[in-house]
Amino acid sequence: MTLAPISPLTSPPQPLLRLRLAPPAGGPRAIDGAWWPRSYDLLAELPALIAGLPHSWGHIASVVLNGAPWSPAPGRMFVAGQVVCLRRRRTAAAHTVVLTAPGQGRWDLIVVPPDTAEEAAEPIMARAARASGTLRHP
């Protein structure tokens, strides 16, 4: 009797992270890029975002966002091997997320709403990736 090799269990492929970052600048900028999540489910979307950030950004310790559009989530999450504090602020801009890493810096990303059509999302992401001044979400 011949036994066929057992193939390892594989998880379904994860969709690509829709993230565009501005090139490193000599100083602070108003917007550091854009993120286009597939939903407003933080538990599903945040791990992919944090895992996809440049290693040079360091350990992202906190995420600040306007809580209105996002699904409920705990105040802390274990994401990509690290604890991340979630802070919801009604005063935060509705279409931004702020990531902070102690001793490394702060990065502000435009959040393109998940239901945005690709034709509309692409120009927003492209502008955010080359933004040097203030960029407002349309």
Side-chain angles (χ1 to χ4, degrees):
M1 174 163 114
T2 312
L3 295 175
I6 299 172
S7 61
L9 295 176
T10 58
S11 59
Q14 296 297 317
L16 292 175
L17 176 63
R18 300 185 297 189
L19 175 68
R20 295 242 186 108
L21 300 176
R29 59 177 5 130
I31 294 296
D32 299 290
W35 173 42
W36 184 19
R38 287 177 167 71
S39 72
Y40 281 116
D41 181 353
L42 276 174
L43 296 175
E45 301 293 340
L46 200 55
L49 172 64
I50 291 179
L53 295 173
H55 291 288
S56 62
W57 286 20
H59 167 81
I60 300 299
S62 70
V63 176
V64 179
L65 46 84
N66 183 308
W70 296 95
S71 65
R76 286 191 224 189
M77 291 174 60
F78 192 69
V79 178
Q82 57 197 34
V83 175
V84 177
C85 292
L86 297 177
R87 293 190 172 88
R88 295 171 179 260
R89 304 268 193 262
R90 290 190 187 270
T91 57
H95 296 288
T96 62
V97 62
V98 177
L99 309 165
T100 59
Q104 296 292 320
R106 165 190 166 146
W107 298 273
D108 293 40
L109 302 176
I110 294 284
V111 177
V112 178
D115 58 352
T116 303
E118 187 170 353
E119 305 79 43
E122 283 299 324
I124 295 168
M125 294 186 70
R127 278 195 323 255
R130 65 178 182 267
S132 58
T134 302
L135 177 71
R136 297 190 189 280
H137 181 68

